[in-house]
Amino acid sequence: MAKARKRRESAIVVVEGNGELTEHRQAIASQDRRLNFGDRWDYAPAPESNSYIKLRPKYPLFINGKFVAPHSGKYFDSINPATEEKLTEIAEGDAHDVDKAVQAARRAYETTWGNLPGRERGKYLYRIARLIQEKSRELAVLESMDGGKPIKESRDIDLPLVAAHFFYYAGWADKLQYAFPGRTPRPLGVAGQVIPWNFPLLMAAWKLAPALAAGNTCVLKPAETTSITAMHLAEILAEAELPDGVVNIVTGAGNTGRALVEHAKVDKIAFTGSTDVGKRILKAISGSKKKLTLELGGKAANIIFEDAPIDQAVEGIVSGIYFNQGHVCCAGSRLFVQEGVFRQVIRKLRDRISTLRVGNPLDKNTDIGAINSRMQLDKICELVDSGVQQGAELVQPPVRLPKRGFWYPPSFFTGVTASHRIAQEEIFGPVLSVMTFRTPEEALERANNTPYGLSAGVWTDKGSKIFKIVNKLRAGVVWANTYNKFDPTSPFGGYKESGFGREGGAHGLLPYVNLE
Ligand code: NDP
């Protein structure tokens, strides 16, 4: 007892910003303590080398196993969003190129791939997976240069998952009957696949691996701002000696995607991107026999209960919204904190985001890289302005942003109400909207009060509470005491305006087969 009292009364020595030691007679109250490393704990630059990266001056299309110039002869610039420097030129495919690609895919389906036994298809997929692993570092660097994401994410998350998806579906290729017991799965034919810019190679893997495992052939349309790694994947497909036409990659803008979606000889469309374009695709193919899966936007609720492990929850909030600059469809972009821990969570979150390092995506210490494009940066700024104008309070740490390139600091809003645009619309940037709740029922009602239903997070010490809440959340994926964890064996997809159909796991095979 006496010892405890002595400790409470003893002086605390604090190292001030100027390096001097100050003795504080009274202990700093826990709610006033802050992490403050000043600027003395800086990191030395740790840039990943990109001197060995060989970018072609121009990337043509990949059709029928060959690299071919686009019909229009047109190319557009692909820039590095961290420097605004031109990296290369990408072919602008048009309806004529899409038609050539679909015809090549159809021929390959009818003459080779569609008739190949599953174990042979599996061998190709394993080969592709191993080649991706071999070239993983180079692909990670390219992904960071082209899209702006931090190298530690592209190297440690994107690329391992890309290879894992090919490995996983390679394993299914000769076991499809076990995925659908009592039924006979048959491939659909030609799959048209349109992907976004936030996880360029990973989205290509999510689309191609299950389609190929199930015996389909593919035409892939990468996003305009991030086509480079898709073309390097084409080189890997050629190196793996994948039969001509099994995978075709047609780069271009939205019109190229539309031409693919509307092509009469495509049997299935798989799309990941905005809800707006998803709706347009749904309209465009209604009345046709095309199968469709849509993986669209989200506005996920990340719910922190009072009994949650708060430090871990704060890390979960950070990885939920600041991972990949918040360019994540399942980002935990609406944070619901139970009132009793609100102050504590906000204080810790404010301190934590001031330690996040924003800058060169190729630096291994960078936590937040470049915003993918000027267009996306404008969208983030516009939505943040709307939040301020509608009365929410913006919290941003003081960060020095590079002069060139597209950047946005990690930010969050408090004082957000359900009617604010920042609580309703997908910002798709490193900006979090924080709200509070009192009871689990209120948390559920507010979490489900969104047109989206892709993902959610729950943080609590009580397993029974997790099950109770998870069962009532209208979201395709719910993480408990963690966030943004991905695995090829686990299905992913949404409800409501977040789309339909599942990717990943045995579920991810279903959209690519007819069951007899
Ligand atoms: P889009 O939905 O426009 O793009 C996704 C893909 O679809 C791209 O390859 C795009 O090509 C292509 N595309 C565009 N228009 C059509 C069309 N009519 N028919 C077929 N394909 C088409 O997303 P954006 O890149 O424009 O981003 C806009 C917003 O969408 C973001 O701010 C974000 O909120 C949200 N978004 C959500 C994603 C998610 O995973 N949920 C992913 C990406 C964006 P191109 O790249 O040439 O435009």
Side-chain angles (χ1 to χ4, degrees):
M1 189 63 190
K3 213 174 173 188
R5 193 166 37 238
K6 190 151 187 267
R7 200 181 310 135
R8 237 183 288 136
E9 285 163 0
S10 65
I12 289 181
V13 177
V14 174
V15 186
E16 301 292 354
N18 57 8
E20 282 175 12
L21 302 183
T22 317
E23 230 181 52
H24 288 254
R25 278 283 149 217
Q26 282 180 341
I28 300 167
S30 63
Q31 70 270 19
D32 295 327
R33 278 182 218 147
R34 297 191 59 179
L35 279 175
N36 182 2
F37 300 122
D39 55 5
R40 283 169 297 121
W41 283 47
D42 212 0
Y43 291 73
E48 171 81 23
S49 165
N50 63 351
S51 55
Y52 61 96
I53 298 287
K54 290 201 175 55
L55 283 161
R56 294 189 189 196
K58 276 184 177 171
Y59 283 84
L61 308 171
F62 184 65
I63 297 178
N64 203 27
K66 317 263 170 331
F67 289 92
V68 293
H71 166 249
S72 65
K74 288 188 196 155
Y75 289 78
F76 57 89
D77 290 351
S78 186
I79 64 158
N80 179 341
T83 59
E84 297 179 60
E85 280 162 9
K86 178 174 158 182
L87 291 170
T88 183
E89 291 178 14
I90 304 286
E92 193 176 319
D94 61 13
H96 186 271
D97 300 304
V98 167
D99 184 49
K100 257 173 53 185
V102 174
Q103 282 187 36
R106 169 73 45 202
R107 254 193 326 275
Y109 176 68
E110 283 165 6
T111 58
T112 55
W113 200 250
N115 308 319
L116 215 56
R119 64 175 185 282
E120 294 302 320
R121 294 198 304 271
K123 282 184 199 168
Y124 284 105
L125 291 178
Y126 278 124
R127 205 179 291 166
I128 295 166
R130 284 194 297 267
L131 285 168
I132 289 169
Q133 278 188 322
E134 268 176 34
K135 296 173 200 290
S136 165
R137 197 69 173 224
E138 177 187 348
L139 290 168
V141 172
L142 278 169
E143 201 76 312
S144 286
M145 287 168 68
D146 197 20
K149 60 173 68 200
I151 185 71
K152 69 178 177 191
E153 290 179 8
S154 48
R155 182 196 59 195
D156 300 344
I157 299 172
D158 292 54
L159 261 298
L161 279 172
V162 173
H165 268 82
F166 279 101
F167 276 121
Y168 175 73
Y169 283 107
W172 272 119
D174 61 347
K175 303 175 195 70
L176 293 178
Q177 69 274 27
Y178 300 109
F180 309 103
R183 311 287 299 271
T184 308
R186 304 249 182 252
L188 303 173
V190 177
Q193 306 176 314
V194 182
I195 56 171
W197 42 261
N198 50 348
F199 293 91
L201 260 185
L202 187 56
M203 289 301 104
W206 279 28
K207 299 278 180 284
L208 295 174
L212 297 177
N216 303 277
T217 56
C218 305
V219 179
L220 180 79
K221 205 303 261 172
E224 199 178 335
T225 55
T226 53
S227 300
I228 295 177
T229 47
M231 299 323 293
H232 282 250
L233 179 63
E235 285 170 7
I236 287 176
L237 302 177
E239 198 178 332
E241 294 176 4
L242 192 70
D244 292 349
V246 173
V247 173
N248 306 273
I249 303 181
V250 184
T251 48
N255 280 339
T256 317
R258 199 165 64 212
L260 179 58
V261 166
E262 291 174 359
H263 196 289
K265 294 281 165 51
V266 170
D267 301 292
K268 190 230 152 44
I269 297 296
F271 172 79
T272 299
S274 62
T275 296
D276 186 35
V277 173
K279 285 180 183 172
R280 272 186 266 158
I281 290 177
L282 191 58
K283 262 193 212 148
I285 70 162
S286 63
S288 77
K289 286 192 177 154
K290 286 173 196 163
K291 275 199 165 198
L292 177 66
T293 37
L294 294 176
E295 200 267 271
L296 309 175
K299 194 73 189 173
N302 201 3
I303 305 170
I304 317 283
F305 285 99
E306 279 168 359
D307 57 11
I310 298 299
D311 287 334
Q312 285 94 318
V314 168
E315 286 311 305
I317 297 167
V318 168
S319 68
I321 187 66
Y322 304 119
F323 169 57
N324 199 30
Q325 295 73 249
H327 301 329
V328 184
C329 48
C330 53
S333 51
R334 286 182 305 150
L335 178 69
F336 291 98
V337 186
Q338 200 160 11
E339 274 187 7
V341 288
F342 177 73
R343 276 179 58 107
Q344 190 188 359
V345 168
I346 291 301
R347 182 169 48 79
K348 285 178 185 271
L349 183 60
R350 182 198 58 200
D351 288 353
R352 181 67 179 88
I353 66 171
S354 66
T355 67
L356 294 176
R357 300 175 60 77
V358 185
N360 181 6
L362 286 181
D363 191 312
K364 291 164 203 160
N365 293 318
T366 293
D367 298 301
I368 299 187
I371 298 300
N372 184 266
S373 64
R374 181 175 296 285
M375 212 174 83
Q376 189 57 29
L377 179 59
D378 290 346
K379 182 183 165 184
I380 295 169
C381 293
E382 195 265 318
L383 272 162
V384 169
D385 286 350
S386 84
V388 173
Q389 276 160 24
Q390 290 187 313
E393 196 181 316
L394 179 64
V395 179
Q396 275 177 349
V399 277
R400 243 176 275 138
L401 300 176
K403 284 213 177 68
R404 294 200 69 189
F406 314 130
W407 309 97
Y408 205 84
S411 315
F412 66 85
F413 275 107
T414 56
V416 180
T417 70
S419 63
H420 287 164
R421 282 181 66 201
I422 51 168
Q424 293 177 349
E425 295 177 31
E426 193 177 37
I427 300 176
F428 226 60
V431 185
L432 175 69
S433 299
V434 188
M435 290 164 270
T436 58
F437 67 93
R438 289 184 183 169
T439 62
E441 292 70 29
E442 189 190 349
L444 269 172
E445 200 178 316
R446 301 192 70 185
N448 286 334
N449 181 17
T450 167
Y452 296 111
L454 189 56
S455 58
V458 181
W459 296 81
T460 168
D461 190 31
K462 306 282 181 294
S464 56
K465 203 189 271 175
I466 290 175
F467 286 115
K468 195 171 154 200
I469 299 288
V470 162
N471 284 327
K472 291 184 178 156
L473 280 169
R474 291 290 292 160
V477 180
V478 185
W479 286 286
N481 292 331
T482 187
Y483 208 94
N484 268 341
K485 291 284 179 291
F486 305 95
D487 190 288
T489 64
S490 180
F492 184 93
Y495 287 105
K496 303 194 281 185
E497 293 203 5
S498 292
F500 48 79
R502 294 293 177 265
E503 295 183 303
H507 299 68
L509 292 164
L510 184 61
Y512 289 101
V513 292
N514 277 323
L515 294 179
E516 289 171 5

